[in-house]
């Protein structure tokens, strides 16, 4: 039983990271209506910027996170202005190809600037917290769980309780209808990309001390994020949050009770199983 509870806590850690990345991805999907393959590269850039800020400039962990969030938000908005906004009326394949191009550009740039080696990001929270007899957790993982939970609650409040958040939801559900009632599509699109960039950067800086920092680190995370938004329902904010937790628990429990070699397969097997009985996802969107 103790080991089960330990794996549940580990699942919360993974689910929090996956949920934050998937949340940003599903918000952008509501604007583009195609998957943004560059989102994983933005996640990677966030980790490298924070790593550089801490090691080259001597900043603290939280300052490095804010620097990374600012840089990645700026990159995300720039990509929207220079690339995606110009393809708004193009067929779906064009934004997808553009997103792949941005992803490859960012990865090549990161490798040219910081190299291809694996880096370990230091953290001020290196201790282990004893939660109860037999159950412990590193302070960094506890930070991930708490920060992810607070961010998800804050994002849910922002999207459902503020006028600005409501415009994002309205535009995601029906872009043409939103324009007819006076919603500034360009402003909402830039704001959505900025928010997705901030979420990706924060998720990467939270998880980097547990994992490693390297140019290809965004591949697996973005693959899981795609699984989550398909599982939760394309464009669904609750689906991204709950889907992230489901995949996190499945991976953690699968790694312990089956094998760590198959923990990634568990997520994809779960996707196939759920979609076979509910092809629209757990929380399908309410239209475009």
């Amino acid at each position: 039983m103790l080991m089960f509870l330990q794996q549940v806590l580990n699942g919360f850690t993974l689910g929090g990271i996956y949920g934050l990345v998937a949340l940003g991805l599903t918000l952008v999907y509501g604007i583009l209506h195609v998957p943004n393959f560059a989102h994983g590269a933005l996640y990677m850039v966030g980790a490298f910027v924070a790593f550089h800020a801490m090691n080259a400039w001597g900043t603290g962990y939280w300052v490095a996170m804010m620097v990374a969030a600012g840089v990645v938000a700026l990159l995300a908005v720039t990509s929207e202005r220079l690339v995606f906004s110009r393809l708004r009326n193009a067929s779906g394949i064009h934004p997808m190809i553009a997103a792949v191009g941005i992803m490859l550009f960012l990865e090549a740039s990161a490798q040219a600037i910081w190299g291809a080696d694996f880096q370990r990001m230091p953290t001020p929270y290196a201790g282990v917290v004893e939660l109860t007899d037999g159950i412990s957790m590193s302070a960094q993982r506890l930070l991930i769980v708490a920060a992810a939970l607070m961010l998800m609650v804050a994002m849910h409040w922002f999207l459902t309780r503020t006028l600005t958040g409501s415009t994002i939801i309205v535009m995601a559900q029906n872009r043409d209808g939103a324009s007819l009632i006076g919603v500034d599509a360009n402003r909402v699109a830039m704001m959505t990309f900025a928010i997705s960039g901030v979420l990706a950067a924060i998720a990467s800086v939270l998880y980097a001390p547990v994992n490693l920092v390297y140019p290809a680190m965004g591949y697996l995370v973005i693959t899981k994020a795609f699984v989550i938004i398909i599982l939760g329902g394309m464009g669904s904010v609750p689906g991204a949050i709950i889907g992230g937790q489901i995949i996190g628990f499945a991976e953690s429990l699968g790694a312990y009770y089956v094998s760590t070699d198959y923990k990634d397969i568990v997520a994809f097997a779960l996707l196939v199983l759920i979609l076979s009985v509910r092809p629209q996802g757990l929380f399908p969107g309410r239209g475009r």
Side-chain angles (χ1 to χ4, degrees), residues 107-166:
E107 287 181 4
S109 300
Q111 190 163 331
I113 296 171
W114 293 293
D117 294 337
F118 290 76
Q119 309 286 350
R120 182 168 293 282
M121 182 185 292
T123 172
Y125 308 101
V128 175
V129 179
E130 191 78 22
L131 299 176
T132 182
D133 282 345
I135 299 179
S136 60
M137 201 174 190
S138 73
Q140 184 67 32
R141 286 180 180 271
L142 274 179
L143 174 65
I144 291 172
V145 173
L149 180 62
M150 286 191 291
L151 276 172
M152 288 176 186
V153 171
M155 280 303 302
H156 185 266
W157 178 85
F158 170 73
L159 292 171
T160 58
R161 295 288 186 270
T162 68
L163 180 61
T164 307
S166 298

Side-chain angles (χ1 to χ4, degrees), residues 251-269:
E251 269 196 38
S252 180
L253 295 174
Y256 180 75
Y257 289 107
V258 182
S259 168
T260 54
D261 295 334
Y262 299 112
K263 66 183 179 67
D264 294 326
I265 297 177
V266 170
F268 297 111

Side-chain angles (χ1 to χ4, degrees), residues 222-242:
I222 196 63
T223 304
K224 298 290 176 58
F226 278 127
V227 169
I228 289 165
I229 66 170
I230 294 171
L231 178 69
M234 299 292 282
S236 169
V237 171
I241 295 173
I242 296 174

Side-chain angles (χ1 to χ4, degrees), residues 77-137:
V77 172
T78 303
S79 69
E80 196 281 330
R81 284 290 83 196
L82 296 183
V83 180
F84 294 118
S85 67
R86 300 171 189 272
L87 299 173
R88 193 164 293 165
N89 296 319
S91 65
I93 191 68
H94 293 90
M96 290 172 68
I97 294 173
V100 171
I102 295 171
M103 176 189 73
L104 296 175
F105 171 76
L106 290 176
E107 287 181 4
S109 300
Q111 190 163 331
I113 296 171
W114 293 293
D117 294 337
F118 290 76
Q119 309 286 350
R120 182 168 293 282
M121 182 185 292
T123 172
Y125 308 101
V128 175
V129 179
E130 191 78 22
L131 299 176
T132 182
D133 282 345
I135 299 179
S136 60
M137 201 174 190

